[in-house]
Amino acid sequence: MSDPLFQRVALIGIGLIGSSLARVMRREKLAREIIISTRSEATLKRAMELELGDYYYLNAAKAVEGADLVILCTPVGACEQVAKQIAPHLSEGAIVTDVGSVKAAVIAAVKPHLPTTVHFIAGHPVAGTEYSGPDAGFASLFENRRCILTPEEGTSPAALEKLIKYWQSCGSEVETMAPEHHDLVLAVVSHLPHIIAYNIVGTADDLETVTKSEVIKYSASGFRDFTRLASSDPTMWRDVCLNNKDAILEMLARFSEDLSALQRAIRWGDGDSLFNLFTRTRGIRKQLIEAGQESPAPNFGRQNEAGDPAQ
Ligand code: NAP
């Protein structure tokens, strides 16, 4: 058997992302030992029952001892406190990375606490679901999905290469970019859609007192597609909003401007503008399907009772 890529990998946080990594690492034999740490006894016990690792610790500092790869898989807002806790216990030459959905703020929070003898390379697998916890993970989560690494100037090329190989072995296509650029791109493709979904579902929930069960009854006409995003983990999304504030506010400002233009077109009966926008946006979905990032099945492959996509 060929040598695994890493000897001892410590996962700090074992929710959707951490447990998916544990599962794919096991399947691909990427680590000789998988060490799991999480803050609550209940989650640690569940990780044990699922046999996600080889050793289990509530204490993150203990978990990173002797690890040659440490991956922070906690919500973004917890990264600084975890970094402080593990820093004195990291092995010389270890690679430390994270999976947070925001990059500049995580680097600013984590890097100052780490010793210069470790290689810190921040990362973000652009793959996920609306579910959380160790039961939610699955080994194929990262397959054919992008993983963005945001190495800073002076990063060891050997460490970067090894981390790229790790994510490729998990099934991802790896790209590197500046942390600030990552945050701007993700603000458009991920953060803004989630915020809009939270807002729409919140508005409908407020209306529900007037229309009672009709929101639920007629949800297949569009509303329910927003509820998937709006059911994502509240802690994770609170932290994303607080830690990517500038880029999100910039995107929300642009969104509001475009929404005003749309409002105006509707008010003035400007059918051409509406038709042109709706045609352009339909083309974007076609591109997604062609890029293999979405299923071409109507209505995301869902069937209603009649077997037709609902409108
Ligand atoms: P999750 O399923 O909610 O799991 C979070 C894990 O972090 C749990 O083990 C939890 O421990 C631990 N944790 C929570 N708060 C903590 C704290 N204050 N201190 C220490 N540990 C804490 O989360 P996830 O979906 O895997 O997300 C983890 C990271 O991946 C986030 O930074 C998120 O931005 C990023 N990400 C998520 C997605 C997605 O779709 N979900 C996609 C890409 C990247 P206990 O259960 O023991 O409390």
Side-chain angles (χ1 to χ4, degrees), residues 81-97:
Q81 167 239 319
V82 171
K84 274 191 207 166
Q85 201 187 345
I86 63 173
H89 305 270
L90 292 165
S91 292
E92 201 176 317
I95 297 175
V96 180
T97 186

Side-chain angles (χ1 to χ4, degrees), residues 51-63:
E51 297 181 8
L52 294 174
D54 299 300
Y55 298 96
Y56 302 85
Y57 297 97
L58 282 176
N59 184 343
K62 235 24 237 131

Side-chain angles (χ1 to χ4, degrees), residues 19 61 77 90 109-110 135-136 165 167 178 228 276 278 311:
S19 74
L90 292 165
V110 169
D135 286 282
K165 198 158 173 214
W167 279 107
R228 185 187 75 76
N276 289 341
F278 300 164
Q311 288 298 314

Side-chain angles (χ1 to χ4, degrees), residues 59-173:
N59 184 343
K62 235 24 237 131
V64 303
E65 278 173 8
D68 48 352
L69 176 65
V70 175
I71 311 180
L72 310 184
C73 305
T74 64
V76 165
C79 287
E80 179 167 23
Q81 167 239 319
V82 171
K84 274 191 207 166
Q85 201 187 345
I86 63 173
H89 305 270
L90 292 165
S91 292
E92 201 176 317
I95 297 175
V96 180
T97 186
D98 77 304
V99 295
S101 308
V102 173
K103 293 283 51 89
V106 168
I107 295 171
V110 169
K111 204 176 168 206
H113 301 290
L114 300 184
T116 52
T117 51
V118 303
H119 306 287
F120 176 56
I121 306 168
H124 175 206
V126 186
T129 74
E130 64 276 33
Y131 298 108
S132 4
D135 286 282
F138 50 98
S140 59
L141 177 64
F142 309 107
E143 261 164 42
N144 300 321
R145 294 284 174 258
R146 297 290 200 290
C147 178
I148 300 172
L149 299 180
T150 57
E152 295 184 287
E153 248 183 58
T155 297
S156 147
L160 179 59
E161 199 184 312
K162 206 166 170 189
L163 192 59
I164 290 176
K165 198 158 173 214
Y166 172 83
W167 279 107
Q168 286 171 338
S169 307
C170 293
S172 294
E173 213 172 290

